[in-house]
Amino acid sequence: MKFHLLSIVLVLIFLSFAGFGQKIDYDKKTQFITIDGVNAFMMEKEGCGFADANCYYNVSDTTGHRLFRVYYRDFKSSVEISRANPQGIVRYIEFVFTETKQKAEVEFPGVKCEKIGKVIVKNQLIKDGKLDPKAVDDFVFTSGTPFSDRAQY
């Protein structure tokens, strides 16, 4: 009886989470981030190669109008030196919302557009193809600029 009840509970938990996952993909040809197969926004990666000095992503609506830019940043910190990170490199991404002159920083999720897209989708920055000002304000407030604040010292 206990096993049967436990298995029912586990199935219900699995089903409750299964319906809420969003499949986020990036189409390199069209440069669209898709959510569950529907075009949500465009993302164009610039630089980001081995010899490139700059790495950033232009995020645009579905018509190509740029909404904001995401920069890859890094710095060295003696506090971060360890066996796993002998140079003490701290990596993060900086969101720059040019219209409102706001910035926010989060931990570097990876260089692939899908990874950056997941951060954007998770924080609901784009709603119905447009930048959501309330979501941007919340994102900027909760994320802040902890990395660049640390890099200054």
Side-chain angles (χ1 to χ4, degrees):
M1 183 67 177
K2 284 184 180 181
F3 178 74
H4 183 67
L5 184 60
L6 179 62
S7 61
I8 291 173
V9 170
L10 289 175
V11 168
L12 289 174
I13 290 172
F14 173 75
L15 290 175
S16 67
F17 285 112
F20 294 108
Q22 293 179 314
K23 183 166 174 43
I24 300 166
D25 287 316
Y26 178 70
D27 185 329
K28 290 180 184 177
K29 290 179 184 176
T30 63
Q31 298 181 330
F32 273 104
I33 292 285
T34 61
I35 302 172
D36 297 330
V38 178
N39 290 344
F41 54 92
M42 296 175 74
M43 185 178 296
E44 178 186 9
K45 181 167 56 170
E46 293 289 331
C48 306
F50 181 71
D52 292 325
N54 292 313
C55 174
Y56 61 89
Y57 306 80
N58 286 316
V59 179
S60 306
D61 63 18
T62 55
T63 66
H65 175 260
R66 190 174 81 183
L67 301 173
F68 58 94
R69 188 175 275 180
V70 180
Y71 291 92
Y72 165 80
R73 305 278 194 219
D74 64 34
F75 65 91
K76 291 183 180 181
S77 170
S78 60
V79 176
E80 298 295 328
I81 293 175
S82 66
R83 280 188 174 179
N85 187 3
Q87 295 180 332
I89 298 174
V90 177
R91 294 175 177 86
Y92 64 98
I93 54 175
E94 176 186 53
F95 288 74
V96 178
F97 303 97
T98 51
E99 286 186 21
T100 59
K101 301 188 179 11
Q102 293 174 293
K103 290 183 180 184
E105 299 167 353
V106 296
E107 216 172 286
F108 181 61
V111 75
K112 291 187 176 184
C113 289
E114 294 92 337
K115 302 280 187 179
I116 307 293
K118 285 181 181 182
V119 174
I120 294 166
V121 171
K122 176 185 169 195
N123 289 285
Q124 303 172 353
L125 299 177
I126 300 173
K127 184 177 182 180
D128 299 325
K130 297 181 181 183
L131 201 57
D132 182 346
K134 171 84 170 90
V136 169
D137 286 344
D138 291 347
F139 179 64
V140 169
F141 180 74
T142 58
S143 299
T145 55
F147 297 98
S148 58
D149 292 344
R150 278 185 17 200
Q152 293 175 4
Y153 302 103

